[in-house]
Structures are given as C-alpha cells and as structure tokens.
Amino acid sequence: MNIDRINAAHARISGAIRRTPLLSAPLLDEIAGRRVLVKPECLQLTGSFKFRGGMSAVSALPQELRARGVIAFSSGNHAQGVALAARRFGVPAVIIMPSDAPQMKIANTRAYGAQVVLYDRGREDRDELGARLSSERGLTLIRPFDEPEVIAGQGTCGLEIAEQAAELGIAEAEVLVCCGGGGLTSGIALALEAKAPGLRARPVEPEGYDDTARSLRSGTRERNRAEAGGLCDAILTPSPGQLTFPIMNRLCGPGLVVSEEDALRAMALAFAHLKLVAEPGGAVALAAALFHGTELAGDTVICTISGGNVDPQVFARALERGPG
C-alpha cells in the first residue's frame, strides 16, 4: 500500500464519487473548545465512505472477473458500497449480511440490485457460506477493509482532507477517523503522510470494541471479546486487519474510545448544528472531538462522519438527547 495506489484509485473513481465538504458550526466549536471541521461522508453515495472502496475494488477487477460477479460480507455499509459499484459496472453482486443488520441497510442493498443472503451470526458460519457461494458461482470476494484496492479507495477521502485543509490554511491538525477494521483510517493516514504530513490520523472506536486502540498500545493485533451486539454496528470488527494495522501502527496517533451515549449525543448535535444524519458508528469521531478534548492537541481538529445509514428508531433515540 502506498500513495501511488491511492492516486490511481482516485483517477479511476473521481467521476463517480462525491467530493464531500468540510463543514463547521460555531456552537460545535464552543462545545469542543477548539475549531472542529467535519468531513461528512454520510453525504457520500450510499450514505457512507464505503462507496469509495467498493468503486475502487470493482473498477480494478479485470473484465473477465467482473463478468462472473462479486461477493462481499457486510452488516450494511460495505454491502451498499459494493452493490452500487457493481450495478454501475453491470456486475452481479451477492452480499452476505447478518439477519440482525439494520433493516435500512438490508433494504438499500437489495434496492441497489444485489442478491442479499442473510445468515444467523450465532448458528451459521459466514466464511463457510461465502466460500461455498464463491466456488459455485466463480465470484470474486471483496473484503470490507483488508483489501488493497478498498484501502486505496478509502484513501481518496484523505486526499480530499489534505486538499481542503490546505485551502483553509491548516498545516497542523489531528484527524479523527471512525474506525472498525481500519480501512478508512489506514487509507487516510497514507494520504496524509504524502500530502499533508502535519495532519495526523487518530482512530476512534466505541467502548467494548476498542481493538485498534488496544493494538496501538501493545504493538500487536488485539481482538474484541464480542463481535456484535453494540449500537455502533458499522464499525464492530473482531480485530484490526492484517494489512491495515501495520499502516496504523506506523502512522496514527493513539486511539480514542467513546461511549455509546457520547455517540448518540454527537448524532443529536450533528443534526442540530450541521443538519446531518449520522449513524452511531459514524458519529464516534465527532463524539471524540466534542467530549474528549483533553486527549487532543492543537486548536483545530478534523473528524469524519463516516456514515448516516441509521434506522429511524435509533435516530429517534439520539434526538431525544437534544442539542444541549
């Protein structure tokens, strides 16, 4: 993985993805005690940054492999990103999703034209199911984060952050990234290393699923005890990736960990002051910026809102907190 791969991905997909802005709100700055700039990937096509990686991976496939189709495992955002990317290229897509995934994400994945295969996390082996379907149909697996072209696609978000920070005259800042397996975090970190070395990526995770933060402290890949059940479903993974962790270990600052309650409060504030809809996992970086300021350095922080695909009842829970 290097900046050349990210630049190549950008050249392939720049006409298909949205260049999301950097947003700010004076009242968020007051809460945080510093300038807060928000990169709203909830405004990306499919409602999350995952479309970048999906487009990068599908566009990089040789034509003969594309024609056979692709397969992906996902609780929702990667599913939608791959499904729409596959539809753009006329490629058959099979997405294996847990039956307890948010209903909006299941419905949207089907709406993008993918065949959704649901499985029971507690009783069925996802990998075995995927291997069987891949073998039977000759499908190419697109992993959600430990895939070079997926990481390269997510790195295009980092290219935009570097450009936008330069446009605003920002040479130094911490860039807080919602982190599951580390595809977005490592991609952004690589882009910043090359294009904006004064900006440092820091992964943010929910309590109980802080495998990356613990791994960065120990220097080895740590695992979560639980792999599902948390509110921040979009970023719950067993451990950092084999490809992503060495990048994060080399380039990222210490990980940050926020509570689910902090994520819900950040969702309410993003809606009140930026008019953005964030999902819980997509709001953890903003939560760190707003409520964990003592763990940050500098007078400016940039944070991603990585996704906005939230079921109505969960969003209602967030709004009940109010903007106070």
Side-chain angles (χ1 to χ4, degrees), residues 190-220:
L190 284 168
L192 297 180
E193 177 190 34
K195 302 295 185 179
L199 274 57
R200 180 177 68 160
R202 294 188 64 182
V204 186
E205 298 166 292
E207 289 177 349
Y209 302 91
D210 58 343
D211 48 293
T212 297
R214 288 184 286 111
S215 298
L216 290 174
R217 286 197 299 270
S218 70
T220 61

Short mmCIF file of all heavy atoms in Angstrom, two decimals, residues 190-220:
data_model
loop_
_atom_site.label_atom_id
_atom_site.label_comp_id
_atom_site.label_asym_id
_atom_site.label_seq_id
_atom_site.Cartn_x
_atom_site.Cartn_y
_atom_site.Cartn_z
N LEU A 190 -2.29 7.12 5.08
CA LEU A 190 -1.33 7.09 3.97
C LEU A 190 -1.43 8.34 3.12
O LEU A 190 -0.40 8.90 2.69
CB LEU A 190 -1.60 5.85 3.11
CG LEU A 190 -1.14 4.51 3.65
CD1 LEU A 190 -1.73 3.37 2.83
CD2 LEU A 190 0.39 4.42 3.66
N ALA A 191 -2.65 8.80 2.85
CA ALA A 191 -2.82 10.01 2.04
C ALA A 191 -2.24 11.23 2.75
O ALA A 191 -1.57 12.07 2.13
CB ALA A 191 -4.30 10.22 1.73
N LEU A 192 -2.48 11.33 4.05
CA LEU A 192 -1.96 12.47 4.80
C LEU A 192 -0.45 12.45 4.88
O LEU A 192 0.20 13.50 4.81
CB LEU A 192 -2.56 12.50 6.21
CG LEU A 192 -4.08 12.68 6.31
CD1 LEU A 192 -4.51 12.70 7.76
CD2 LEU A 192 -4.54 13.95 5.60
N GLU A 193 0.12 11.26 5.04
CA GLU A 193 1.59 11.16 5.09
C GLU A 193 2.21 11.78 3.84
O GLU A 193 3.23 12.49 3.92
CB GLU A 193 2.00 9.69 5.20
CG GLU A 193 3.52 9.49 5.17
CD GLU A 193 3.93 8.04 5.04
OE1 GLU A 193 3.20 7.26 4.36
OE2 GLU A 193 4.97 7.66 5.60
N ALA A 194 1.59 11.54 2.69
CA ALA A 194 2.15 12.01 1.43
C ALA A 194 1.77 13.45 1.12
O ALA A 194 2.59 14.20 0.57
CB ALA A 194 1.68 11.11 0.29
N LYS A 195 0.56 13.84 1.46
CA LYS A 195 0.04 15.12 1.00
C LYS A 195 -0.05 16.20 2.08
O LYS A 195 -0.09 17.39 1.76
CB LYS A 195 -1.36 14.92 0.41
CG LYS A 195 -1.42 13.94 -0.75
CD LYS A 195 -0.65 14.43 -1.97
CE LYS A 195 -0.84 13.48 -3.15
NZ LYS A 195 -0.12 13.95 -4.35
N ALA A 196 -0.13 15.80 3.35
CA ALA A 196 -0.27 16.78 4.44
C ALA A 196 0.36 16.21 5.70
O ALA A 196 -0.33 15.82 6.64
CB ALA A 196 -1.75 17.10 4.67
N PRO A 197 1.68 16.14 5.74
CA PRO A 197 2.36 15.48 6.87
C PRO A 197 2.13 16.13 8.22
O PRO A 197 2.40 15.50 9.25
CB PRO A 197 3.84 15.51 6.46
CG PRO A 197 3.94 16.58 5.42
CD PRO A 197 2.62 16.59 4.72
N GLY A 198 1.62 17.35 8.25
CA GLY A 198 1.31 17.99 9.53
C GLY A 198 -0.02 17.55 10.11
O GLY A 198 -0.35 17.89 11.25
N LEU A 199 -0.78 16.78 9.35
CA LEU A 199 -2.05 16.25 9.81
C LEU A 199 -1.85 14.79 10.22
O LEU A 199 -1.24 14.01 9.47
CB LEU A 199 -3.11 16.34 8.71
CG LEU A 199 -3.89 17.65 8.58
CD1 LEU A 199 -2.96 18.84 8.36
CD2 LEU A 199 -4.91 17.57 7.44
N ARG A 200 -2.36 14.43 11.40
CA ARG A 200 -2.15 13.07 11.92
C ARG A 200 -3.49 12.38 12.15
O ARG A 200 -4.37 12.93 12.82
CB ARG A 200 -1.36 13.12 13.23
CG ARG A 200 -1.10 11.74 13.84
CD ARG A 200 -0.26 11.81 15.11
NE ARG A 200 -0.97 12.45 16.21
CZ ARG A 200 -0.63 12.29 17.50
NH1 ARG A 200 0.43 11.56 17.81
NH2 ARG A 200 -1.31 12.89 18.45
N ALA A 201 -3.64 11.19 11.59
CA ALA A 201 -4.86 10.42 11.78
C ALA A 201 -4.87 9.76 13.15
O ALA A 201 -3.84 9.28 13.64
CB ALA A 201 -4.99 9.36 10.69
N ARG A 202 -6.06 9.74 13.77
CA ARG A 202 -6.25 9.02 15.03
C ARG A 202 -7.56 8.23 14.96
O ARG A 202 -8.62 8.80 14.68
CB ARG A 202 -6.28 10.00 16.20
CG ARG A 202 -4.96 10.71 16.44
CD ARG A 202 -4.97 11.52 17.71
NE ARG A 202 -5.12 10.68 18.90
CZ ARG A 202 -5.19 11.17 20.14
NH1 ARG A 202 -5.12 12.48 20.34
NH2 ARG A 202 -5.33 10.36 21.18
N PRO A 203 -7.51 6.94 15.19
CA PRO A 203 -8.72 6.13 15.13
C PRO A 203 -9.60 6.34 16.36
O PRO A 203 -9.10 6.55 17.46
CB PRO A 203 -8.18 4.69 15.08
CG PRO A 203 -6.85 4.77 15.76
CD PRO A 203 -6.31 6.14 15.46
N VAL A 204 -10.92 6.27 16.14
CA VAL A 204 -11.88 6.40 17.24
C VAL A 204 -12.83 5.21 17.20
O VAL A 204 -13.35 4.85 16.14
CB VAL A 204 -12.69 7.71 17.13
CG1 VAL A 204 -13.57 7.88 18.37
CG2 VAL A 204 -11.77 8.91 16.95
N GLU A 205 -13.07 4.61 18.37
CA GLU A 205 -13.90 3.41 18.47
C GLU A 205 -14.86 3.53 19.65
O GLU A 205 -14.65 4.34 20.56
CB GLU A 205 -13.01 2.18 18.69
CG GLU A 205 -12.03 1.89 17.57
CD GLU A 205 -10.98 0.89 18.01
OE1 GLU A 205 -10.16 1.26 18.88
OE2 GLU A 205 -11.00 -0.23 17.50
N PRO A 206 -15.90 2.68 19.68
CA PRO A 206 -16.80 2.65 20.84
C PRO A 206 -16.27 1.77 21.95
O PRO A 206 -15.50 0.83 21.70
CB PRO A 206 -18.09 2.06 20.24
CG PRO A 206 -17.63 1.20 19.12
CD PRO A 206 -16.39 1.84 18.57
N GLU A 207 -16.67 2.07 23.17
CA GLU A 207 -16.28 1.26 24.32
C GLU A 207 -16.71 -0.19 24.11
O GLU A 207 -17.79 -0.47 23.58
CB GLU A 207 -16.94 1.80 25.59
CG GLU A 207 -16.38 3.12 26.07
CD GLU A 207 -17.11 3.64 27.30
OE1 GLU A 207 -18.17 3.08 27.65
OE2 GLU A 207 -16.62 4.62 27.90
N GLY A 208 -15.85 -1.10 24.53
CA GLY A 208 -16.13 -2.51 24.39
C GLY A 208 -15.69 -3.09 23.06
O GLY A 208 -15.63 -4.32 22.91
N TYR A 209 -15.35 -2.23 22.12
CA TYR A 209 -14.92 -2.67 20.78
C TYR A 209 -13.70 -1.86 20.36
O TYR A 209 -13.61 -1.38 19.24
CB TYR A 209 -16.07 -2.52 19.77
CG TYR A 209 -17.30 -3.29 20.16
CD1 TYR A 209 -18.29 -2.71 20.93
CD2 TYR A 209 -17.47 -4.62 19.78
CE1 TYR A 209 -19.42 -3.43 21.31
CE2 TYR A 209 -18.60 -5.35 20.14
CZ TYR A 209 -19.56 -4.74 20.91
OH TYR A 209 -20.67 -5.46 21.28
N ASP A 210 -12.77 -1.70 21.29
CA ASP A 210 -11.62 -0.82 21.10
C ASP A 210 -10.37 -1.60 20.73
O ASP A 210 -9.28 -1.32 21.22
CB ASP A 210 -11.39 0.01 22.36
CG ASP A 210 -11.14 -0.86 23.59
OD1 ASP A 210 -11.47 -2.06 23.56
OD2 ASP A 210 -10.62 -0.32 24.60
N ASP A 211 -10.52 -2.57 19.84
CA ASP A 211 -9.39 -3.42 19.46
C ASP A 211 -8.24 -2.63 18.86
O ASP A 211 -7.08 -2.94 19.11
CB ASP A 211 -9.85 -4.51 18.48
CG ASP A 211 -10.69 -3.96 17.35
OD1 ASP A 211 -11.82 -3.49 17.63
OD2 ASP A 211 -10.24 -3.99 16.19
N THR A 212 -8.54 -1.60 18.07
CA THR A 212 -7.46 -0.83 17.45
C THR A 212 -6.71 -0.01 18.49
O THR A 212 -5.47 0.02 18.48
CB THR A 212 -8.01 0.08 16.35
OG1 THR A 212 -8.57 -0.72 15.30
CG2 THR A 212 -6.91 0.95 15.76
N ALA A 213 -7.42 0.64 19.40
CA ALA A 213 -6.75 1.42 20.45
C ALA A 213 -5.84 0.53 21.28
O ALA A 213 -4.69 0.89 21.57
CB ALA A 213 -7.79 2.11 21.33
N ARG A 214 -6.34 -0.66 21.65
CA ARG A 214 -5.51 -1.57 22.44
C ARG A 214 -4.33 -2.10 21.62
O ARG A 214 -3.23 -2.28 22.15
CB ARG A 214 -6.38 -2.73 22.95
CG ARG A 214 -7.35 -2.30 24.06
CD ARG A 214 -8.14 -3.47 24.62
NE ARG A 214 -9.18 -3.92 23.72
CZ ARG A 214 -9.18 -5.07 23.08
NH1 ARG A 214 -8.17 -5.93 23.22
NH2 ARG A 214 -10.19 -5.41 22.30
N SER A 215 -4.57 -2.34 20.33
CA SER A 215 -3.49 -2.83 19.48
C SER A 215 -2.39 -1.80 19.31
O SER A 215 -1.20 -2.13 19.30
CB SER A 215 -4.06 -3.22 18.10
OG SER A 215 -5.01 -4.26 18.21
N LEU A 216 -2.78 -0.53 19.18
CA LEU A 216 -1.77 0.52 19.05
C LEU A 216 -0.94 0.66 20.33
O LEU A 216 0.25 0.98 20.28
CB LEU A 216 -2.44 1.84 18.70
CG LEU A 216 -3.05 1.93 17.29
CD1 LEU A 216 -3.81 3.23 17.11
CD2 LEU A 216 -1.97 1.80 16.23
N ARG A 217 -1.57 0.40 21.48
CA ARG A 217 -0.82 0.47 22.74
C ARG A 217 0.14 -0.70 22.87
O ARG A 217 1.27 -0.53 23.33
CB ARG A 217 -1.79 0.48 23.93
CG ARG A 217 -2.53 1.79 24.13
CD ARG A 217 -3.12 1.88 25.52
NE ARG A 217 -4.10 0.83 25.80
CZ ARG A 217 -5.40 0.92 25.56
NH1 ARG A 217 -5.90 2.02 25.00
NH2 ARG A 217 -6.21 -0.08 25.86
N SER A 218 -0.29 -1.89 22.47
CA SER A 218 0.54 -3.08 22.67
C SER A 218 1.52 -3.33 21.53
O SER A 218 2.51 -4.04 21.70
CB SER A 218 -0.36 -4.31 22.84
OG SER A 218 -1.00 -4.65 21.61
N GLY A 219 1.20 -2.80 20.35
CA GLY A 219 2.05 -3.04 19.18
C GLY A 219 1.74 -4.33 18.47
O GLY A 219 2.41 -4.69 17.50
N THR A 220 0.72 -5.06 18.92
CA THR A 220 0.29 -6.30 18.26
C THR A 220 -1.23 -6.26 18.08
O THR A 220 -1.94 -5.56 18.82
CB THR A 220 0.67 -7.55 19.08
OG1 THR A 220 0.04 -7.48 20.36
CG2 THR A 220 2.17 -7.63 19.26
#
